[in-house]
Amino acid sequence: MSVPFLDLTKQYVELKEASDALWFDVMNHSAFIAGPRVSGFEREIEEYLGVKHCISCANGTDALFLILQGLGISKGDEVITTPWTFFATLECITHVGATPVMVDILPDSYNIDPAAVEAAVTSRTRAILPVHIFGQCADMDAIDDIAKKHDLMVIEDACQAMGASYKGKMAGALADAAAFSFFPTKNLGCGGDGGCITTDNDELAEHCRLTANHGMPIKYIHTAFGVNSRLDALQAGLLSLRLTKLDEWNAQRGDAAAYYDKEFSKIKGVTVPAVDSTGTHIYHLYILKTDQASELLEFLQSRGIGSALYYPHSLHEQVVFESLSGWVKPSLPVSEDCAGKTIAIPCFPGITKEQCEETADAVKEFFATKS
Ligand SMILES: *Cc1c(COP(=O)(O)O)cnc(C)c1O
C-alpha cells in the first residue's frame, strides 16, 4: 500500500452532491463574478472568526499586498517578518516598495522569535508580519507588546492557519489585519485560487474592498488605483460548503498528529512539532526535524509514502534579495539550521488509521536501521 502526501479527493467526495449541484447552478445562471455567494461567504467567515470584516480576493498573496498598501506601507518603510515561510510573504512587502527585514525563528515551533523582532526594530519599522507557520499561531501577545511599545502595526499571514486559535481567539482576529489563502492544499481550500482579508478596522476594510476591484465603488467610477483581485462565485460557493466541515477536518489532522507524536516520542534523532497548549494547532503540515532528512525522504519514497521538505531553503538565502538596494544578508542561525532538515509527512483530512500506521512504521524502521 502507498500513502499519498495529500489526498484532496476526500474533501470533494464528502461533499460531492452539493459541490456538483453548485457547479451546475453557477453554469446555469452564468453569474460567475461577485453576487450573493461571494458576500454570503464573507459574512460566514466574519462569524466563524469573530471579526468585523472579511474582504474576499483572488489569492493569499493579493490579500497581503492589499493590506500593506491599505495601511499605507511604502518606500522607506521596514516590515519585520520571518524567512521561514512561503515566498509570497516577502514578495508582497517589496511590491509596496518597503523593505523586508527577516529575523530568526524559534527552533521548536518554527514561528518568528519575538526577541529577534524586538532587536530588529528601527526608526523605519512600520509593521510586524508574523506567519502562523504550519497551522500554529505565532506568539501574538509578545508581538503585540513590541508593537504597542514602538507604535507598529501587526499583520497576520494566516494563510496556513484557517481554524487555528490562540488564547481563545481565532487566527485572523489577532492583529490589525490578516491574510488567508484558499489555495487547494490549504486547510480551507477551494477549486482554484482564492483568498481573503480580515480586519476590525472599518477604514482599512473599505479601502481593501475598493482596491481589490479597480478602485471602483460604482461601475466606471474610479476613486483609487486598485487591482483586479476577486473571488468568483464558484469558489465562494465551494468554500461555504467546505467551511461547514473545516473544524471536523482540522480535528482529523489533529488526530493523525497526536498519533505520530506518540509513535515518534521515543525515537532518537527526530524532533516532533512543539505545541503551544494555549491554542489550537491545525496541522496544515506535520513536520519532523532530523539531520538525516534527505535519507529519510528517499526511504519514504521507496516505500511509496509521500513526504516533502518544508522548507528546503530559508528565504533570506535566496539570491533575489541581492537585487534590493542596501540589502545586507542577515545571519539567522536557527532558520539556516532548519533548512533542508524539516520534513512534512502525510497528515490530511480523511487520512486512515492504516495510512498513519504505515507512515509511522516506515519512519520508525528508518531510524531503527540508523541506530
Ligand atoms: C500559501 C501561502 C501564501 C500565498 O497564498 P496564495 O493563495 O498561494 O497566493 C502566503 N503565505 C503563506 C505562509 C502561505 O502558505
Side-chain angles (χ1 to χ4, degrees):
M1 198 174 80
S2 67
V3 185
F5 179 57
L6 175 63
D7 185 357
L8 288 176
T9 55
K10 301 204 182 209
Q11 294 183 27
Y12 170 60
V13 169
E14 216 171 301
L15 293 162
K16 184 175 178 347
E17 228 171 281
S19 305
D20 291 352
L22 165 74
W23 168 258
F24 287 112
D25 191 60
V26 171
M27 291 303 134
N28 271 321
H29 290 90
S30 289
F32 300 110
I33 307 284
R37 283 204 171 88
V38 176
S39 50
F41 171 65
E42 290 176 340
R43 303 300 81 77
E44 287 158 16
I45 287 291
E46 287 162 4
E47 187 168 330
Y48 179 70
L49 299 181
V51 293
K52 264 176 95 177
H53 306 282
C54 169
I55 303 100
S56 60
C57 61
N59 53 67
T61 308
D62 282 0
L64 286 163
F65 167 76
L66 292 164
I67 292 168
L68 289 165
Q69 196 191 46
L71 290 173
I73 293 168
S74 62
K75 199 165 164 47
D77 295 337
E78 292 176 355
V79 178
I80 300 174
T81 189
T82 165
W84 203 250
T85 180
F86 178 62
F87 188 58
T89 314
L90 281 305
E91 213 170 22
C92 64
I93 298 171
T94 66
H95 281 159
V96 296
T99 304
V101 175
M102 288 177 254
V103 302
D104 219 344
I105 56 172
L106 296 163
D108 52 354
S109 68
Y110 312 104
N111 267 316
I112 195 166
D113 179 352
V117 171
E118 172 102 65
V121 174
T122 72
S123 58
R124 293 173 160 228
T125 309
R126 291 282 312 283
I128 309 169
L129 175 34
V131 177
H132 304 317
I133 201 69
F134 305 140
Q136 178 165 245
C137 290
D139 186 352
M140 296 304 284
D141 277 356
I143 290 166
D144 217 34
D145 286 346
I146 300 162
K148 285 210 173 79
K149 191 165 143 194
H150 299 278
D151 195 22
L152 308 173
M153 293 174 283
V154 182
I155 302 150
E156 300 167 70
D157 181 337
C159 288
Q160 301 186 1
M162 181 64 87
S165 70
Y166 175 84
K167 298 186 182 169
K169 287 178 88 175
M170 299 299 282
L174 300 168
D176 292 294
F180 286 98
S181 166
F182 305 124
F183 187 77
T185 62
K186 304 287 157 103
N187 287 44
L188 180 63
C190 62
D193 276 307
C196 78
I197 295 158
T198 58
T199 183
D200 285 340
N201 179 331
D202 300 340
E203 208 180 314
L204 176 67
E206 197 185 317
H207 193 271
C208 290
R209 209 173 273 293
L210 199 61
T211 50
N213 190 24
H214 303 295
M216 188 167 67
I218 301 162
K219 202 167 183 189
Y220 299 131
I221 301 297
H222 302 271
T223 60
F225 292 108
V227 293
N228 172 1
S229 185
R230 297 177 295 229
L231 186 72
D232 61 66
L234 186 62
Q235 303 309 343
L238 192 57
L239 287 163
S240 285
L241 291 173
R242 291 181 171 186
L243 183 59
T244 65
K245 293 274 177 189
L246 181 65
D247 288 344
E248 194 184 310
W249 288 346
N250 281 343
Q252 289 169 8
R253 291 174 187 262
D255 290 345
Y259 173 76
Y260 288 148
D261 281 350
K262 189 165 57 65
E263 290 296 300
F264 303 147
S265 63
K266 289 194 188 74
I267 305 180
K268 267 209 204 83
V270 67
T271 311
V272 301
V275 179
D276 174 359
S277 59
T278 64
T280 318
H281 192 329
I282 54 156
Y283 293 98
H284 172 60
L285 293 170
Y286 183 91
I287 299 290
L288 291 176
K289 184 170 176 230
T290 169
D291 289 339
Q292 295 160 308
S294 49
E295 295 97 321
L296 177 58
L297 270 179
E298 222 170 278
F299 183 80
L300 292 176
Q301 195 176 10
S302 74
R303 293 297 167 89
I305 295 169
S307 60
L309 287 173
Y310 284 88
Y311 292 96
H313 310 287
S314 179
L315 289 180
H316 71 290
E317 310 214 82
Q318 295 285 334
V319 61
V320 65
F321 290 106
E322 289 164 22
S323 67
L324 293 181
S325 83
W327 170 254
V328 180
K329 190 179 131 181
S331 165
L332 306 175
V334 179
S335 48
E336 282 161 27
D337 178 59
C338 289
K341 292 185 184 171
T342 43
I343 295 187
I345 59 173
C347 184
F348 53 86
I351 190 169
T352 64
K353 193 165 175 290
E354 291 72 31
Q355 288 174 319
C356 288
E357 280 168 6
E358 188 171 331
T359 303
D361 288 348
V363 171
K364 286 191 288 185
E365 186 186 331
F366 172 81
F367 283 103
T369 62
K370 293 286 158 183
S371 57

